[in-house]
Amino acid sequence: QVRLVESGGGLVQAGGSLRLSCAASGVSNYAMGWFRQAPGKEREFVAAISWSGASTGYADSVKGRFTISRDNTKKTMYLQMNSLKPDDTAVYYCAAATGLRLRTSIADYDYWGQGTQVTVSS
């Protein structure tokens, strides 16, 4: 059974930082990604990483501020979020896609976590 569990969300002031983690179990040889959904908006792509970690991709809105990484020995993916803005407020979801290549489309992902709330105050 595949399980993805996010952690690290919380309340932070604008300009601050947070580090999200996603622990995976029951899945192997998978690409991973982070998505987010703000109230009243559709879920959107944030960042993605290939199985090896050699390839990464980011939404334009977070490029230069967020960094995605993974440690396959720990089966954990991370999202380091710096220079946070109120517009980054959302529920952040971890996702896994079968296969090794980088994936940026929601439709490519097979498994999802329950989400973790990130709130950035102005």
Side-chain angles (χ1 to χ4, degrees):
Q1 182 180 358
V2 177
R3 190 170 184 223
L4 303 174
V5 180
E6 302 98 334
S7 61
L11 173 64
V12 64
Q13 288 188 333
S17 298
L18 281 175
R19 189 195 195 203
L20 304 184
S21 299
C22 173
S25 60
V27 60
S28 60
N29 299 332
Y30 50 97
M32 297 192 78
W34 288 99
F35 294 79
R36 67 187 181 186
Q37 188 166 17
K41 295 187 177 181
E42 294 186 352
R43 192 170 298 189
E44 64 176 5
F45 168 73
V46 174
I49 189 166
S50 62
W51 162 247
S52 68
S55 298
T56 58
Y58 297 91
D60 288 342
S61 60
V62 307
K63 208 170 286 184
R65 300 188 297 123
F66 291 9
T67 303
I68 190 171
S69 62
R70 67 189 294 169
D71 183 342
N72 288 341
T73 64
K74 297 180 179 179
K75 291 194 172 184
T76 302
M77 175 180 66
Y78 305 96
L79 185 68
Q80 178 66 43
M81 305 186 295
N82 298 330
S83 302
L84 283 161
K85 305 175 181 179
D87 283 350
D88 295 318
T89 295
V91 177
Y92 283 70
Y93 295 91
C94 157
T98 304
L100 308 181
R101 295 181 298 106
L102 183 69
R103 312 291 182 96
T104 60
S105 171
I106 288 178
D108 289 335
Y109 284 82
D110 305 297
Y111 307 103
W112 294 83
Q114 81 289 350
T116 186
Q117 177 70 47
V118 171
T119 303
V120 184
S121 63
S122 57

